[in-house]
Amino acid sequence: MKSHTPVGDQLIGSAVNALNQARINDEIFTLSRQDIAYELACKEMLKPRDFVASPGNILGSMSTKHGEIAEQVEVAVRNSEQAIEEMLQDASTFRATFEGVGRTAPQDYLIDGMDVQSKFINGTNNNLVHVLKHMETYPNFGKDGSFYHIPKDTWQEIQDVLDGKPVEGLKSTTIEAIKAKVAEIERQTQRPFADVVRPGVSDYKDVQLGKIDETLDKHDQELARQNDAKRAEIIDDHQPSLAEGMRATAMGAAVGGAFALGTGIYRKYRDGKNIFRGDFDAQDWQDVGLDSLKGAAVGGISAGAIYTLTNYASMGAPFASALVTATKGVASLAHSYQRGEIGLDEFTDLGLIVCAESAIVGAMTVAGQALIPVPVLGALIGSISGKFMVTVAKSLDGKARQVLQARMDEFARRLDAIEQQVLNRILSEFAALGELTKAAFNVETNRQLLEASITLAQAHGVEDDKIIKNADDLDAFMTA
């Protein structure tokens, strides 16, 4: 019984709960940051919408305004995707910007501090012609790390030509002209074509005035999908894991060993030996050391079990700790009973005591949201302890189960009609779910039992202002 003290398990449970809570808090914090990043991305995508809302302010004729539209879309989409992917919290770290760029400057925008000129011209060959004309006007452009953006579909068509793939709609003379212009760009810049001329985020048709709203809608939908994927990734990264379970086990071993060491030293002190005065001999150190090793081993196992119960059985840490304590205690008692070291009466008495803590925690979780008279709690706890003991000690023989059932019936006879109704609700829920622990944390059952507990308290004459009816009442009671 001493080796199965609930104090140590509750300490380990508190440590495991802190580990769980730290992970949950970090998940909430990270999801909050992702929400801010998505909001930032959505604001960035409003900029091209505002830009195209006033076509008269866009440079060029109606057939060429798509050039500036492409620039706005390029910067907004790149920054929005960056915000979601890197979880940006403000616009100060956007890699694409118009800041410091004149509207008719050699560059249209900056990406990672490098000058970029956007050329959205109809026709693949014509697009390359305009690139070469720009290089003629600004001879250093393309040589110093600056580069050009052209429509994504145009760039892919050029790449297919260079790779020798068949391109529908292009004459052989056009293909040769494309190859010649690519070679000229590489000759002038002394850089690979793919470094000097890169694909933008848009196809040529996507940035036309009649198409741009649909294009922006598609980008918004894609950004929403990317954000959902990031949120799912964050949630998945914060799920209980084997690695964290191992950390919990190691932490439990440390707590269990330290707790065993402390209690061992205290027991020796009660026997008249003070560790700080050098009273320990070799045997004392051996006793304390062995107890610490056992405590560490049991603590590690307990922590692993509590971690599993809290994360995979929706169980609160206090109840999980109590469950682990009861499981160890009843298993030990059952072993002693089967070996004939204790009798049936002692087994049932000690077993009910071991399970009482779990029953108390479970009863308080399920039905303790109102002030229930102490005599009723005694009967309820006795009944639930018996139920729990049978659940834990599955190896009980028929005789032991009959004796235990008789004890449970005796407890039940002490309940009046309303009290019996509360017990029946608890036990019926246990039976329906198959596990007592699941019932303790079933939301709907808790709601129903809250109503029943209020009725029970009123029936026993508890003053109305002392009955805890909801979360606000509970908060007021706990802080009073």
Side-chain angles (χ1 to χ4, degrees):
M1 293 296 291
K2 290 180 180 179
S3 65
H4 300 292
T5 173
V7 178
D9 287 332
Q10 288 294 341
L11 284 174
I12 293 171
S14 296
V16 172
N17 186 58
L19 186 67
N20 289 335
Q21 196 59 50
R23 184 186 70 252
I24 293 170
N25 290 342
D26 186 67
E27 178 182 358
I28 294 171
F29 175 72
T30 307
L31 286 173
S32 175
R33 287 176 60 83
Q34 187 61 41
D35 290 340
I36 294 173
Y38 181 57
E39 182 179 354
L40 183 64
C42 291
K43 287 181 179 178
E44 189 70 6
M45 287 303 298
L46 289 176
K47 293 179 180 179
R49 290 189 183 275
D50 293 339
F51 185 78
V52 299
S54 303
N57 295 329
I58 303 175
L59 294 179
S61 65
M62 293 303 292
S63 61
T64 61
K65 290 181 183 293
H66 63 271
E68 278 203 307
I69 295 174
E71 298 166 15
Q72 294 289 326
V73 174
E74 187 77 32
V75 171
V77 170
R78 283 181 176 272
N79 288 342
S80 296
E81 290 179 344
Q82 181 194 355
I84 291 175
E85 185 61 30
E86 300 178 11
M87 208 180 299
L88 300 186
Q89 300 300 286
D90 57 65
S92 63
T93 51
F94 279 152
R95 290 199 293 266
T97 182
F98 292 107
E99 290 185 15
V101 178
R103 202 167 184 184
T104 58
Q107 71 274 38
D108 290 318
Y109 43 84
L110 304 177
I111 295 180
D112 293 326
M114 298 305 300
D115 295 342
V116 183
Q117 169 67 210
S118 177
K119 289 297 181 185
F120 267 63
I121 309 300
N122 190 19
T124 302
N125 192 46
N126 290 336
N127 221 127
L128 293 175
V129 169
H130 279 74
V131 169
L132 286 167
K133 286 182 177 179
H134 186 272
M135 291 174 61
E136 183 179 336
T137 305
Y138 303 99
N140 203 45
F141 207 95
K143 299 177 182 178
D144 57 358
S146 55
F147 58 93
Y148 295 88
H149 269 153
I150 64 175
K152 183 171 59 177
D153 53 341
T154 299
W155 187 91
Q156 186 59 56
E157 191 170 77
I158 294 172
Q159 197 61 49
D160 289 343
V161 167
L162 297 178
D163 292 341
K165 296 179 181 179
V167 180
E168 185 178 351
L170 289 185
K171 299 177 182 179
S172 59
T173 53
T174 304
I175 290 175
E176 292 305 315
I178 290 172
K179 291 180 179 178
K181 290 177 176 61
V182 168
E184 179 61 20
I185 290 171
E186 291 183 334
R187 186 191 68 78
Q188 290 190 29
T189 61
Q190 295 299 301
R191 295 171 62 198
F193 174 79
D195 284 349
V196 181
V197 181
R198 305 180 189 181
V201 299
S202 306
D203 290 343
Y204 178 78
K205 67 179 185 301
D206 291 338
V207 292
Q208 306 302 313
L209 276 174
K211 183 80 171 180
I212 186 60
D213 288 336
E214 180 183 341
T215 298
L216 293 175
D217 288 343
K218 289 181 179 179
H219 282 302
D220 286 342
Q221 293 166 9
E222 179 58 29
L223 289 170
R225 284 192 291 269
Q226 292 175 14
N227 185 63
D228 289 343
K230 288 293 291 185
R231 287 181 60 84
E233 181 182 333
I234 292 169
I235 293 171
D236 186 63
D237 288 344
H238 287 83
Q239 292 299 301
S241 65
L242 177 60
E244 188 178 58
M246 294 300 292
R247 289 199 298 273
T249 300
M251 185 170 56
V255 173
F259 184 76
L261 176 63
T263 54
I265 292 173
Y266 178 67
R267 282 199 299 270
K268 292 293 184 180
Y269 175 79
R270 288 191 305 176
D271 293 338
K273 294 187 175 183
N274 190 326
I275 187 175
F276 302 109
R277 294 178 180 174
D279 296 340
F280 277 29
D281 57 23
Q283 184 61 48
D284 293 324
W285 282 111
Q286 183 177 345
D287 293 341
V288 172
L290 185 60
D291 286 345
S292 299
L293 288 176
K294 289 180 179 179
V298 173
I301 295 171
S302 299
I306 293 170
Y307 181 84
T308 301
L309 291 170
T310 53
N311 287 292
Y312 298 104
S314 300
M315 192 179 296
F319 198 9
S321 302
L323 171 62
V324 169
T325 301
T327 301
K328 292 187 297 183
V330 173
S332 178
L333 289 171
H335 189 54
S336 296
Y337 169 67
Q338 291 168 348
R339 289 187 304 183
E341 297 173 357
I342 59 175
L344 182 57
D345 289 341
E346 191 175 10
F347 169 71
T348 53
D349 287 342
L350 292 176
L352 289 173
I353 292 172
V354 168
C355 291
E357 185 205 12
S358 298
I360 291 169
V361 176
M364 291 302 93
T365 303
V366 178
Q369 292 169 308
L371 299 178
I372 301 177
V374 173
V376 177
L377 275 183
L380 282 175
I381 291 168
S383 299
I384 300 171
S385 295
K387 174 71 175 180
F388 191 71
M389 187 174 172
V390 172
T391 302
V392 173
K394 298 183 183 297
S395 60
L396 288 176
D397 57 30
K399 181 179 180 182
R401 282 195 291 269
Q402 289 176 4
V403 170
L404 193 53
Q405 185 62 52
R407 292 282 187 93
M408 292 170 63
D409 292 341
E410 179 183 347
F411 286 128
R413 282 194 294 271
R414 290 162 51 189
L415 304 175
D416 62 25
I418 296 179
E419 298 160 356
Q420 184 68 53
Q421 182 181 12
V422 173
L423 176 62
N424 288 341
R425 289 197 178 197
I426 296 173
L427 296 183
S428 65
E429 186 62 26
F430 292 165
L433 291 176
E435 292 287 343
L436 176 149
T437 52
K438 292 182 181 179
F441 290 89
N442 182 275
V443 175
E444 179 59 24
T445 301
N446 288 346
R447 186 190 65 78
Q448 295 175 359
L449 287 172
L450 171 60
E451 297 172 357
S453 64
I454 293 172
T455 302
L456 177 62
Q458 292 170 339
H460 281 273
V462 177
E463 296 178 18
D464 193 65
D465 61 350
K466 294 182 179 180
I467 300 175
I468 299 174
K469 306 182 186 66
N470 49 50
D472 291 338
D473 291 346
L474 181 59
D475 290 341
F477 173 77
M478 296 299 293
T479 57

